[in-house]
Amino acid sequence: QVQLVESGGGLVQAGGSLRLSCAASGRTFTSYVMGWFRQAPGKEREFVVAVTWSGRSTYYADSVKGRFTISRDNAKNTVYLQMNSLKPEDTAVYFCAADPTYYGSSESEYDFWGQGTQVTVSS
């Protein structure tokens, strides 16, 4: 079992930056694929990025490529999402997800989820 708690959301102006954190509990965190998803008002949840257990491989949605960076610190059981050049369309609740084997963009494949943190980008 893995429990995930996101933090770092808030209100930022367009062009600004935020760093989200996802703290995980559980001794097997280092073996899990970690991902970030987001859900905007009135829309379905969508994939943002995923990272393998080692941190060496990452997979970004085209909409955030070049602006967002995922990283993980396995010693701290934490994964980060650095978001730069934020746009109003990035406004959403951001969710952290984990899975022991799946590495990809399909929401239904991730076994564990956090409660989400709100990110609002004003124009």
Side-chain angles (χ1 to χ4, degrees):
Q1 282 282 349
V2 175
Q3 292 184 325
L4 306 172
V5 179
E6 303 95 335
S7 62
L11 173 64
V12 64
Q13 288 189 331
S17 298
L18 279 175
R19 188 177 81 155
L20 305 183
S21 299
C22 174
S25 64
R27 291 177 294 175
T28 58
F29 170 79
T30 56
S31 66
Y32 278 66
V33 172
M34 301 298 296
W36 286 96
F37 288 74
R38 66 186 182 185
Q39 187 168 19
K43 295 188 177 180
E44 293 186 352
R45 191 153 53 183
E46 66 174 5
F47 171 76
V48 176
V49 60
V51 62
T52 56
W53 69 270
S54 67
R56 293 195 189 102
S57 292
T58 56
Y59 173 36
Y60 291 89
D62 288 343
S63 58
V64 305
K65 204 173 292 184
R67 300 188 299 121
F68 290 12
T69 303
I70 191 170
S71 61
R72 64 188 297 165
D73 185 339
N74 287 340
K76 295 182 178 179
N77 280 10
T78 302
V79 64
Y80 304 97
L81 182 64
Q82 177 66 44
M83 306 185 295
N84 298 328
S85 303
L86 283 162
K87 306 175 181 179
E89 51 263 44
D90 294 317
T91 295
V93 178
Y94 283 70
F95 297 89
C96 178
D99 194 84
T101 58
Y102 178 73
Y103 174 58
S105 61
S106 178
E107 174 187 354
S108 63
E109 296 291 336
Y110 285 83
D111 283 348
F112 303 102
W113 291 84
Q115 294 300 306
T117 185
Q118 176 70 47
V119 171
T120 303
V121 184
S122 64
S123 58

